[in-house]
Amino acid sequence: MHPDPAFRPKDDDLAALLVREIGFAAIFASTPDGPRVAHAPVVLSEDTSTLQFHLSRGNGLARHLDGAAALAVVQGPDAYVSASWYAAPDQVPTWNYVAVEMEGKSRKLDREALIRQLDTLSALHEARIGIDPPWTRDKMSPAIFGKMADAITGFEMTITAWRPTLKLSQNKPADERTRVAGALQAQGHGALAHLMDQLAGRGERR
């Protein structure tokens, strides 16, 4: 799908909001063994300048990321859009989707920074699911936690470019967007339909 400028959000905070809400990314980089991708939970800094993540030491990408250029992609909901859902004639099928690309240089974190990342991740997501009291690493044997921490490597990517794409029928008239959102809701794609409604509410339309 070509990222038409119509699908770039005008709200500068929206891409960061999606990264934090989804919290999981695909990390891409070139290696001597060819292109590689890893999948990891992520932590976006408050000022949106860095993205932290960790990988298993055995991951094919982990040993090549320190100092490397990387691309992180956070993907939201997506779904096929049938041309039959439009009232206007001469339409073609398409795909609505949400994706945020972040490009930058990655570096390996020391152990202390890795532990802080793990604590931040667990605190964020324990709060989301409402466990009371929340899980913390204090509930683990320090020796076992240490052994498990030794099996992963933490990284931080300094973000030099953001490329968000929210392809949510903004190039269609309001009545057509409503029809598509309703059809997607009926097909079980409620999250995507909700995003279309939210985007319209923010004035993200052309």
Side-chain angles (χ1 to χ4, degrees):
M1 306 295 291
H2 187 273
D4 190 298
F7 306 131
R8 298 291 193 203
K10 293 183 288 182
D11 187 336
D12 291 338
D13 296 329
L14 191 55
L17 177 66
L18 287 165
V19 170
R20 291 193 174 103
E21 183 64 26
I22 296 167
F24 197 77
I27 314 295
F28 299 86
S30 295
T31 79
D33 303 318
R36 293 289 183 269
V37 60
H39 307 271
V42 295
V43 177
L44 182 65
S45 64
E46 286 296 323
D47 64 0
T48 71
S49 66
T50 63
L51 189 77
Q52 289 194 356
F53 55 94
H54 61 274
L55 304 178
S56 164
R57 287 185 181 272
N59 189 290
L61 193 57
R63 65 181 179 273
H64 301 296
L65 270 179
D66 192 22
L71 179 70
V73 181
V74 171
Q75 289 190 278
D78 68 276
Y80 173 79
V81 175
S82 172
S84 64
W85 294 342
Y86 300 116
D90 299 322
Q91 303 294 310
V92 295
T94 188
W95 210 278
N96 275 5
Y97 68 98
V98 171
V100 180
E101 297 180 16
M102 293 156 285
E103 183 179 343
K105 188 173 182 179
S106 57
R107 67 178 182 89
K108 182 179 176 181
L109 295 176
D110 61 26
R111 185 179 178 84
E112 183 178 344
L114 169 63
I115 300 305
R116 286 198 301 270
Q117 180 196 142
L118 297 176
D119 287 344
T120 299
L121 274 169
S122 61
L124 282 171
H125 294 286
E126 288 290 315
R128 284 186 175 185
I129 63 175
I131 297 294
D132 187 19
W135 181 91
T136 68
R137 60 186 168 92
D138 293 337
K139 297 184 177 182
M140 292 184 68
S141 158
I144 293 177
F145 176 82
K147 183 177 180 180
M148 296 181 77
D150 287 341
I152 60 177
T153 305
F155 295 95
E156 179 177 86
M157 184 177 76
T158 299
I159 302 172
T160 57
W162 286 78
R163 288 188 291 273
T165 301
L166 278 69
K167 187 176 180 296
L168 300 173
S169 301
Q170 303 97 307
N171 59 331
K172 301 296 183 182
D175 59 334
E176 295 283 42
R177 291 198 302 270
T178 300
R179 287 169 61 90
V180 170
L184 287 170
Q185 181 75 48
Q187 292 292 316
H189 297 289
L192 194 62
H194 177 69
L195 279 174
M196 292 178 68
D197 292 340
Q198 291 293 104
L199 201 65
R202 283 175 172 258
E204 292 278 352
R205 59 183 72 190
R206 299 297 193 279

mmCIF file of all heavy atoms in Angstrom, residues 79-82 84-86 176-190 193 196:
data_model
loop_
_atom_site.group_PDB
_atom_site.id
_atom_site.type_symbol
_atom_site.label_atom_id
_atom_site.label_comp_id
_atom_site.label_asym_id
_atom_site.label_seq_id
_atom_site.Cartn_x
_atom_site.Cartn_y
_atom_site.Cartn_z
ATOM 1 N N ALA A 79 -8.073 -4.368 8.040
ATOM 2 C CA ALA A 79 -9.138 -5.196 7.462
ATOM 3 C C ALA A 79 -9.354 -4.852 5.993
ATOM 4 O O ALA A 79 -9.105 -3.718 5.552
ATOM 5 C CB ALA A 79 -10.442 -5.005 8.228
ATOM 6 N N TYR A 80 -9.828 -5.837 5.259
ATOM 7 C CA TYR A 80 -10.233 -5.674 3.866
ATOM 8 C C TYR A 80 -11.483 -4.799 3.789
ATOM 9 O O TYR A 80 -12.400 -4.928 4.604
ATOM 10 C CB TYR A 80 -10.521 -7.053 3.278
ATOM 11 C CG TYR A 80 -11.116 -7.072 1.890
ATOM 12 C CD1 TYR A 80 -10.308 -6.888 0.768
ATOM 13 C CD2 TYR A 80 -12.478 -7.288 1.706
ATOM 14 C CE1 TYR A 80 -10.849 -6.918 -0.509
ATOM 15 C CE2 TYR A 80 -13.029 -7.331 0.428
ATOM 16 C CZ TYR A 80 -12.207 -7.140 -0.677
ATOM 17 O OH TYR A 80 -12.745 -7.182 -1.934
ATOM 18 N N VAL A 81 -11.502 -3.914 2.792
ATOM 19 C CA VAL A 81 -12.666 -3.054 2.551
ATOM 20 C C VAL A 81 -13.239 -3.402 1.184
ATOM 21 O O VAL A 81 -12.575 -3.222 0.156
ATOM 22 C CB VAL A 81 -12.276 -1.556 2.608
ATOM 23 C CG1 VAL A 81 -13.465 -0.672 2.227
ATOM 24 C CG2 VAL A 81 -11.763 -1.188 4.000
ATOM 25 N N SER A 82 -14.464 -3.901 1.169
ATOM 26 C CA SER A 82 -15.109 -4.290 -0.084
ATOM 27 C C SER A 82 -15.614 -3.067 -0.847
ATOM 28 O O SER A 82 -16.183 -2.133 -0.252
ATOM 29 C CB SER A 82 -16.288 -5.216 0.208
ATOM 30 O OG SER A 82 -17.046 -5.457 -0.971
ATOM 31 N N SER A 84 -18.104 -3.049 -2.630
ATOM 32 C CA SER A 84 -19.571 -3.086 -2.598
ATOM 33 C C SER A 84 -20.146 -2.289 -1.435
ATOM 34 O O SER A 84 -21.347 -2.032 -1.390
ATOM 35 C CB SER A 84 -20.062 -4.531 -2.529
ATOM 36 O OG SER A 84 -19.653 -5.130 -1.319
ATOM 37 N N TRP A 85 -19.300 -1.888 -0.476
ATOM 38 C CA TRP A 85 -19.789 -1.105 0.661
ATOM 39 C C TRP A 85 -19.975 0.373 0.310
ATOM 40 O O TRP A 85 -20.577 1.116 1.073
ATOM 41 C CB TRP A 85 -18.828 -1.226 1.843
ATOM 42 C CG TRP A 85 -18.761 -2.608 2.412
ATOM 43 C CD1 TRP A 85 -19.666 -3.614 2.239
ATOM 44 C CD2 TRP A 85 -17.726 -3.146 3.244
ATOM 45 N NE1 TRP A 85 -19.261 -4.745 2.900
ATOM 46 C CE2 TRP A 85 -18.076 -4.490 3.541
ATOM 47 C CE3 TRP A 85 -16.550 -2.626 3.766
ATOM 48 C CZ2 TRP A 85 -17.291 -5.309 4.335
ATOM 49 C CZ3 TRP A 85 -15.753 -3.442 4.563
ATOM 50 C CH2 TRP A 85 -16.119 -4.763 4.851
ATOM 51 N N TYR A 86 -19.431 0.812 -0.819
ATOM 52 C CA TYR A 86 -19.584 2.207 -1.212
ATOM 53 C C TYR A 86 -20.893 2.408 -1.967
ATOM 54 O O TYR A 86 -21.342 1.526 -2.713
ATOM 55 C CB TYR A 86 -18.431 2.646 -2.123
ATOM 56 C CG TYR A 86 -17.064 2.535 -1.505
ATOM 57 C CD1 TYR A 86 -16.108 1.659 -2.025
ATOM 58 C CD2 TYR A 86 -16.695 3.319 -0.419
ATOM 59 C CE1 TYR A 86 -14.841 1.562 -1.471
ATOM 60 C CE2 TYR A 86 -15.433 3.226 0.140
ATOM 61 C CZ TYR A 86 -14.512 2.346 -0.393
ATOM 62 O OH TYR A 86 -13.270 2.243 0.162
ATOM 63 N N GLU A 176 -19.620 7.960 2.991
ATOM 64 C CA GLU A 176 -18.989 6.697 2.611
ATOM 65 C C GLU A 176 -18.152 6.137 3.761
ATOM 66 O O GLU A 176 -18.127 4.930 4.004
ATOM 67 C CB GLU A 176 -18.105 6.897 1.371
ATOM 68 C CG GLU A 176 -18.866 7.283 0.104
ATOM 69 C CD GLU A 176 -19.584 6.110 -0.538
ATOM 70 O OE1 GLU A 176 -20.186 5.288 0.196
ATOM 71 O OE2 GLU A 176 -19.547 6.020 -1.786
ATOM 72 N N ARG A 177 -17.458 7.012 4.495
ATOM 73 C CA ARG A 177 -16.680 6.556 5.653
ATOM 74 C C ARG A 177 -17.608 5.913 6.688
ATOM 75 O O ARG A 177 -17.249 4.892 7.301
ATOM 76 C CB ARG A 177 -15.923 7.733 6.285
ATOM 77 C CG ARG A 177 -14.805 8.269 5.422
ATOM 78 C CD ARG A 177 -13.825 9.116 6.246
ATOM 79 N NE ARG A 177 -14.469 10.236 6.904
ATOM 80 C CZ ARG A 177 -14.612 11.445 6.365
ATOM 81 N NH1 ARG A 177 -14.176 11.671 5.128
ATOM 82 N NH2 ARG A 177 -15.176 12.421 7.036
ATOM 83 N N THR A 178 -18.778 6.509 6.860
ATOM 84 C CA THR A 178 -19.743 5.958 7.818
ATOM 85 C C THR A 178 -20.207 4.576 7.376
ATOM 86 O O THR A 178 -20.329 3.656 8.192
ATOM 87 C CB THR A 178 -20.944 6.904 7.973
ATOM 88 O OG1 THR A 178 -20.476 8.167 8.459
ATOM 89 C CG2 THR A 178 -21.964 6.341 8.939
ATOM 90 N N ARG A 179 -20.455 4.428 6.081
ATOM 91 C CA ARG A 179 -20.897 3.126 5.556
ATOM 92 C C ARG A 179 -19.804 2.069 5.759
ATOM 93 O O ARG A 179 -20.076 0.943 6.180
ATOM 94 C CB ARG A 179 -21.234 3.242 4.066
ATOM 95 C CG ARG A 179 -22.528 3.990 3.753
ATOM 96 C CD ARG A 179 -22.618 4.267 2.256
ATOM 97 N NE ARG A 179 -22.627 3.046 1.488
ATOM 98 C CZ ARG A 179 -23.724 2.377 1.148
ATOM 99 N NH1 ARG A 179 -24.906 2.833 1.535
ATOM 100 N NH2 ARG A 179 -23.661 1.278 0.427
ATOM 101 N N VAL A 180 -18.555 2.438 5.457
ATOM 102 C CA VAL A 180 -17.448 1.495 5.601
ATOM 103 C C VAL A 180 -17.248 1.120 7.066
ATOM 104 O O VAL A 180 -17.069 -0.055 7.406
ATOM 105 C CB VAL A 180 -16.154 2.078 5.002
ATOM 106 C CG1 VAL A 180 -14.951 1.214 5.360
ATOM 107 C CG2 VAL A 180 -16.280 2.195 3.486
ATOM 108 N N ALA A 181 -17.299 2.104 7.939
ATOM 109 C CA ALA A 181 -17.129 1.819 9.367
ATOM 110 C C ALA A 181 -18.213 0.877 9.867
ATOM 111 O O ALA A 181 -17.950 -0.057 10.639
ATOM 112 C CB ALA A 181 -17.131 3.113 10.176
ATOM 113 N N GLY A 182 -19.449 1.101 9.438
ATOM 114 C CA GLY A 182 -20.553 0.229 9.839
ATOM 115 C C GLY A 182 -20.370 -1.190 9.329
ATOM 116 O O GLY A 182 -20.647 -2.164 10.045
ATOM 117 N N ALA A 183 -19.894 -1.314 8.080
ATOM 118 C CA ALA A 183 -19.669 -2.643 7.513
ATOM 119 C C ALA A 183 -18.534 -3.364 8.238
ATOM 120 O O ALA A 183 -18.619 -4.567 8.509
ATOM 121 C CB ALA A 183 -19.361 -2.524 6.020
ATOM 122 N N LEU A 184 -17.486 -2.638 8.565
ATOM 123 C CA LEU A 184 -16.375 -3.247 9.300
ATOM 124 C C LEU A 184 -16.824 -3.697 10.687
ATOM 125 O O LEU A 184 -16.438 -4.773 11.155
ATOM 126 C CB LEU A 184 -15.217 -2.254 9.410
ATOM 127 C CG LEU A 184 -14.436 -1.997 8.118
ATOM 128 C CD1 LEU A 184 -13.478 -0.821 8.297
ATOM 129 C CD2 LEU A 184 -13.672 -3.240 7.687
ATOM 130 N N GLN A 185 -17.642 -2.879 11.337
ATOM 131 C CA GLN A 185 -18.177 -3.264 12.645
ATOM 132 C C GLN A 185 -18.975 -4.556 12.538
ATOM 133 O O GLN A 185 -18.826 -5.465 13.365
ATOM 134 C CB GLN A 185 -19.065 -2.134 13.180
ATOM 135 C CG GLN A 185 -19.679 -2.396 14.547
ATOM 136 C CD GLN A 185 -18.669 -2.248 15.669
ATOM 137 O OE1 GLN A 185 -17.939 -1.264 15.717
ATOM 138 N NE2 GLN A 185 -18.616 -3.203 16.568
ATOM 139 N N ALA A 186 -19.788 -4.656 11.510
ATOM 140 C CA ALA A 186 -20.611 -5.851 11.312
ATOM 141 C C ALA A 186 -19.765 -7.085 11.015
ATOM 142 O O ALA A 186 -20.178 -8.213 11.320
ATOM 143 C CB ALA A 186 -21.606 -5.611 10.170
ATOM 144 N N GLN A 187 -18.576 -6.877 10.432
ATOM 145 C CA GLN A 187 -17.683 -7.988 10.114
ATOM 146 C C GLN A 187 -16.812 -8.394 11.300
ATOM 147 O O GLN A 187 -15.987 -9.290 11.188
ATOM 148 C CB GLN A 187 -16.784 -7.598 8.936
ATOM 149 C CG GLN A 187 -17.507 -7.435 7.616
ATOM 150 C CD GLN A 187 -18.026 -8.744 7.084
ATOM 151 O OE1 GLN A 187 -17.335 -9.757 7.109
ATOM 152 N NE2 GLN A 187 -19.252 -8.744 6.601
ATOM 153 N N GLY A 188 -16.981 -7.709 12.426
ATOM 154 C CA GLY A 188 -16.201 -8.056 13.609
ATOM 155 C C GLY A 188 -14.932 -7.258 13.785
ATOM 156 O O GLY A 188 -14.107 -7.587 14.653
ATOM 157 N N HIS A 189 -14.770 -6.199 12.995
ATOM 158 C CA HIS A 189 -13.572 -5.364 13.091
ATOM 159 C C HIS A 189 -13.902 -4.093 13.870
ATOM 160 O O HIS A 189 -13.743 -2.967 13.375
ATOM 161 C CB HIS A 189 -13.036 -5.035 11.696
ATOM 162 C CG HIS A 189 -12.603 -6.231 10.916
ATOM 163 N ND1 HIS A 189 -11.471 -6.953 11.239
ATOM 164 C CD2 HIS A 189 -13.162 -6.847 9.840
ATOM 165 C CE1 HIS A 189 -11.346 -7.966 10.383
ATOM 166 N NE2 HIS A 189 -12.354 -7.924 9.533
ATOM 167 N N GLY A 190 -14.351 -4.282 15.094
ATOM 168 C CA GLY A 190 -14.804 -3.167 15.905
ATOM 169 C C GLY A 190 -13.710 -2.166 16.219
ATOM 170 O O GLY A 190 -13.961 -0.958 16.262
ATOM 171 N N ALA A 193 -13.200 0.055 13.175
ATOM 172 C CA ALA A 193 -14.344 0.957 13.032
ATOM 173 C C ALA A 193 -14.285 2.067 14.085
ATOM 174 O O ALA A 193 -14.576 3.236 13.797
ATOM 175 C CB ALA A 193 -15.646 0.175 13.162
ATOM 176 N N MET A 196 -11.800 4.681 13.070
ATOM 177 C CA MET A 196 -12.349 5.547 12.030
ATOM 178 C C MET A 196 -13.231 6.622 12.642
ATOM 179 O O MET A 196 -13.166 7.796 12.256
ATOM 180 C CB MET A 196 -13.128 4.715 11.011
ATOM 181 C CG MET A 196 -12.263 3.796 10.172
ATOM 182 S SD MET A 196 -13.207 2.785 9.003
ATOM 183 C CE MET A 196 -13.798 4.048 7.863
#
